Amino acid sequence: MRKQIVAGNWKMNNDLAQTETLITSLKEQKQTSNAEVMIAPTATNLWQAYNSLKNFKIEVIAQNMHFAESGAYTGEISGSMLKSIGVNTVILGHSERREYFDETDEILAKKVDAALGKGMDVIFCFGEELADRKSENQEKVVGDQIKNALFHLDSAAFRSIILAYEPVWAIGTGETASPEQAQDMHAFIRKTLADKYGSDVADSVSILYGGSVKPANAEEIFSKPDVDGGLIGGASLNAEDFFAIVNAF
Ligand code: PEP
C-alpha cells in the first residue's frame, strides 16, 4: 500500500506569532483519513513548529536546503542543521525555487543526494509550464526533470522519495489540472519509474498532485488511482481548509 500524504507548503508566509496561531488551529482539527500530514513553515519557524507539534501526528518539514554540509554559503541552511532541529523531510525542486532562484536539474540532483545522504526524505517537485502543455510537450518536460535529477539514484533510494507533480500553470493561479489530466500524468510518471526501476519501485512511490487544490476539488483529484495525495500551497494557510483536504480521501 502506498502512503497517502497531504503536505502544506506555507511558502514565505506567517511570522512567529502567526505560525503559533495556525498551529493552534491545526491541533483543533479532527483527522478522519489515514493520510500522513506534513506542514512546511518558513525556516525561521521550523524549530517552534517542531516543538509545538512534537506530540501530534503532523510532521514539520522544510521548504528547501543547500547541498553543502557547511561552509561559505551565506544565507543557506544545510541538511545537518535541519536534522539537528528534528526536521527529517525536505521539499526540493519547487517551481518557485527553479524560477526565482535558478535551481537547475543539476543543482537539484546534488540537493537530493545531500538530503538522502543525511537520511532525510525528499518531496521532489516538478511540472511543466503552460507553453509546454499547449505544445503537448508536458510528458517530455516532466520525464526529463525526473530523469535528470533522480535517475542516478539506485532503487533503494526511492524508499525516501515522494514525488510531487505540480504543473506550473496551476500553482497559485486558481487553475487546477482536471482530475483526468492529473491521473494521465501520474500514470506516465509511474510508467517512467517502472521502465527504469521496475514495477515494485514504481508502485511503491507516492506521487502527490499540487496546483490550486482546495476542499472543493480535492476529493475528485484524490480519487484517481495514481494520485496519492497533494502538495498544498494557498489552502494550507487555513486550518479548516487544509484538514478538509486531508480528510478528502
Ligand atoms: C505549491 O506551492 O506547491 C502549490 C501547489 O500552491 P497552490 O496550492 O497555492 O497552487
Side-chain angles (χ1 to χ4, degrees):
M1 248 301 260
R2 284 193 295 273
K3 280 188 208 160
Q4 296 175 327
I5 297 166
V6 178
N9 173 15
W10 291 10
K11 313 193 185 190
M12 197 172 72
N13 293 296
N14 293 331
D15 63 17
L16 186 59
Q18 291 164 328
T19 296
E20 280 172 2
T21 304
L22 181 47
I23 286 177
T24 302
S25 306
L26 288 171
K27 287 174 172 176
E28 288 163 5
Q29 306 303 311
K30 193 169 155 25
Q31 184 171 350
T32 55
S33 72
N34 289 323
E36 288 189 13
V37 182
M38 304 176 179
I39 58 163
T42 195
T44 51
N45 299 324
L46 285 171
W47 174 233
Q48 163 67 17
Y50 170 78
N51 281 298
S52 299
L53 287 166
K54 240 196 282 203
N55 300 318
F56 280 77
K57 281 173 69 183
I58 298 178
E59 184 183 349
V60 175
I61 69 172
Q63 297 177 16
N64 180 37
M65 62 172 259
H66 197 266
F67 53 76
E69 171 69 24
S70 62
Y73 297 98
T74 302
E76 293 290 334
I77 296 171
S78 72
S80 307
M81 292 167 184
L82 294 172
K83 292 264 314 185
S84 74
I85 59 164
V87 173
N88 292 311
T89 302
V90 61
I91 298 172
L92 294 176
H94 193 281
S95 63
E96 288 151 17
R97 300 279 333 157
R98 292 176 190 260
E99 182 178 353
Y100 304 130
F101 303 97
D102 297 328
E103 291 197 358
T104 60
D105 291 343
E106 198 185 1
I107 291 171
L108 290 168
K110 286 162 83 170
K111 289 189 173 202
V112 168
D113 287 347
L116 297 183
K118 285 284 149 207
M120 298 175 77
D121 289 344
V122 171
I123 299 183
F124 184 75
C125 307
F126 50 84
E128 83 283 1
E129 300 197 11
L130 188 57
D132 304 319
R133 177 137 308 246
K134 283 194 168 151
S135 58
E136 296 183 4
N137 231 5
Q138 65 270 19
E139 290 188 351
K140 164 94 177 86
V141 170
V142 162
D144 284 350
Q145 287 172 324
I146 293 172
K147 287 174 192 161
N148 293 342
L150 300 180
F151 272 17
H152 62 288
L153 299 172
D154 63 20
S155 53
F158 278 83
R159 280 191 225 119
S160 304
I161 302 273
I162 298 155
L163 298 178
Y165 167 57
E166 299 206 301
V168 179
W169 48 272
I171 296 180
T173 58
E175 186 106 15
T176 322
S178 68
E180 291 70 31
Q181 284 173 320
Q183 169 56 28
D184 286 351
M185 183 59 88
H186 284 221
F188 166 75
I189 294 162
R190 219 176 283 292
K191 183 177 179 309
T192 303
L193 283 181
D195 289 346
K196 166 86 176 164
Y197 293 102
S199 54
D200 281 359
V201 170
D203 290 341
S204 68
V205 174
S206 297
I207 309 177
L208 315 185
Y209 169 79
S212 300
V213 177
K214 303 176 205 67
N217 59 24
E219 193 174 334
E220 211 186 339
I221 295 171
F222 293 172
S223 71
K224 295 295 174 192
D226 285 297
V227 178
D228 305 307
L231 182 56
I232 318 299
S236 72
L237 298 173
N238 177 291
E240 286 81 17
D241 286 353
F242 185 55
F243 264 81
I245 295 169
V246 169
N247 291 332
F249 283 100

